[in-house]
Amino acid sequence: MKEMFSIFGNPVSHSMSPLMHNMAFKDLKIDACYGRYRLEDGAMLREKFFALGLRGINITVPYKEDAYRACDKPDAFARKVGAVNTIVQKQGILYGYNTDAPGFLKAISEFDVKRILFLGAGGTAQSTAIILRDEGYDVTILNRSAGRLERFKEDGFETFTFETFIPDTYDLIVNMTSAGLNDDHLPAPREILDSVIPDCKACVDVIYGRETPFLKLAKSYHKPSKDGSDMLLYQGAIAFEYFCEGKFKFDEILYHMKRAFEIN
Ligand code: NDP
């Protein structure tokens, strides 16, 4: 019987996940189909999962914490960060994983950097900050408002708001906010960005599919930069490994997922 997968979120119409996963399923001759489901209420995630007869899902904004709560068995890293973006169902048991953070880690592996400044303190920043620290990077968090910084402080990260920020030297500056996603905002005041970008080695934006004002600014300083496309591909390929229980190699999955972008 055909196995069914889906992305859950709200909104989900923009998601590239169905294209990527369906391309890999087709090329790898797996009898499976990947759809999209706009979930109205995160508390209903588990019920909808079973009602739709799914084998696995990815979860996007704003339900990664609900997805964590919906799982029977989140893995150790998902438990550490409290957010899940991949669920696989086996014999009625929901196993949960976070593939955003390892996806991001892999996406920045090409840069020789140690000190990283995150602009933004949302869910993605939280899981990625933890994996980066586990891997030996030194991460500082700068966020517009103070509220979201509390959990970072509790986890021992150095944190700043725009008002308290003291310029320092960072190797990598990352836009982890949604500023620039559907608007033309910079993720931090121009004066702050002008105080850190000139001395950094590279800039990364997690937003993909458009050149954000942040990336435009980085380019105006002639800094090596990249958008969130690699992170998207890598988190998808790692999720696919879980969906297929390790039957395919990461590079092979990646090759087919990339084709989804080349063809469309
Ligand atoms: P959250 O909603 O959890 O957090 C949003 C963050 O952005 C907060 O820190 C918020 O600050 C900040 N922010 C929003 N608007 C502005 C603004 N105009 N100026 C300054 N700060 C702003 O989002 P997520 O962490 O889930 O997602 C963050 C980004 O990561 C999104 O753009 C998402 O698309 C992208 N993403 C990309 C992936 C990929 O594969 N490439 C995977 C996952 C996410 P405040 O606390 O002050 O409100």
Side-chain angles (χ1 to χ4, degrees):
M1 203 175 70
K2 198 185 265 301
E3 291 193 319
M4 304 297 287
F5 296 83
S6 185
I7 175 101
F8 276 23
N10 192 0
V12 278
S13 55
H14 66 289
S15 173
M16 297 298 286
S17 293
L19 210 60
M20 286 160 43
H21 285 271
N22 282 325
M23 183 63 78
F25 283 142
K26 181 169 154 285
D27 284 357
L28 294 166
K29 302 192 177 14
I30 300 166
D31 191 17
C33 182
Y34 190 112
R36 61 180 90 227
Y37 186 79
R38 189 160 66 92
L39 184 68
E40 301 287 350
D41 177 1
M44 298 295 285
L45 190 144
R46 190 180 167 95
E47 197 179 320
K48 291 289 175 196
F49 183 103
F50 285 109
L52 293 166
L54 296 165
R55 167 92 161 100
I57 57 170
N58 290 122
I59 303 95
T60 186
V61 179
Y63 299 128
K64 291 179 193 179
E65 282 88 7
D66 292 292
Y68 170 71
R69 286 188 286 272
C71 289
D72 301 299
K73 294 197 174 181
D75 78 353
F77 182 69
R79 284 201 302 278
K80 199 165 173 180
V81 299
V84 155
N85 77 326
T86 302
I87 293 180
V88 184
Q89 181 262 124
K90 289 178 219 166
Q91 275 113 37
I93 295 168
L94 300 189
Y95 293 81
Y97 310 94
N98 184 304
T99 72
D100 285 330
F104 179 80
L105 185 66
K106 201 167 167 51
I108 65 155
S109 62
E110 71 196 65
F111 299 117
D112 178 20
V113 295
K114 167 88 174 155
R115 300 197 75 212
I116 303 181
L117 179 66
F118 270 15
L119 311 170
T124 311
Q126 205 221 349
S127 59
T128 48
I130 288 175
I131 204 168
L132 288 174
R133 189 171 59 186
D134 287 353
E135 292 294 317
Y137 293 91
D138 177 0
V139 185
T140 300
I141 319 290
L142 170 63
N143 195 49
R144 178 176 60 181
S145 58
R148 276 192 166 106
L149 290 172
E150 283 309 313
R151 60 186 172 176
F152 287 89
K153 269 192 216 161
E154 283 163 22
D155 283 340
F157 289 97
E158 186 172 24
T159 64
F160 295 102
T161 61
F162 298 161
E163 289 72 31
T164 63
F165 186 66
I166 302 162
D168 201 342
T169 304
Y170 299 97
D171 301 326
L172 183 71
I173 321 278
V174 186
N175 178 22
M176 280 277 171
T177 76
S178 39
L181 183 62
N182 297 310
D183 56 47
D184 284 322
H185 295 147
L186 283 166
R190 180 68 196 255
E191 316 80 79
I192 290 185
L193 297 174
D194 286 338
S195 73
V196 288
I197 295 179
D199 291 332
C200 78
K201 293 182 181 169
C203 294
V204 169
D205 203 314
V206 290
I207 294 170
Y208 57 86
R210 71 182 300 235
E211 190 173 67
T212 59
F214 173 70
L215 281 186
K216 279 192 189 126
L217 184 63
K219 282 186 185 162
S220 77
Y221 278 108
H222 306 291
K223 294 293 169 184
S225 58
K226 72 192 291 189
D227 74 357
S229 305
D230 280 350
M231 178 184 179
L232 174 75
L233 277 166
Y234 297 155
Q235 64 75 29
I238 301 167
F240 195 94
E241 288 184 302
Y242 286 121
F243 289 158
C244 297
E245 298 183 61
K247 279 195 209 83
F248 302 96
K249 291 207 165 65
F250 178 84
D251 287 343
E252 189 182 12
I253 300 164
L254 198 62
Y255 172 81
H256 296 295
M257 285 193 164
K258 274 187 181 161
R259 265 174 31 81
F261 292 91
E262 285 154 16
I263 286 173
N264 288 277

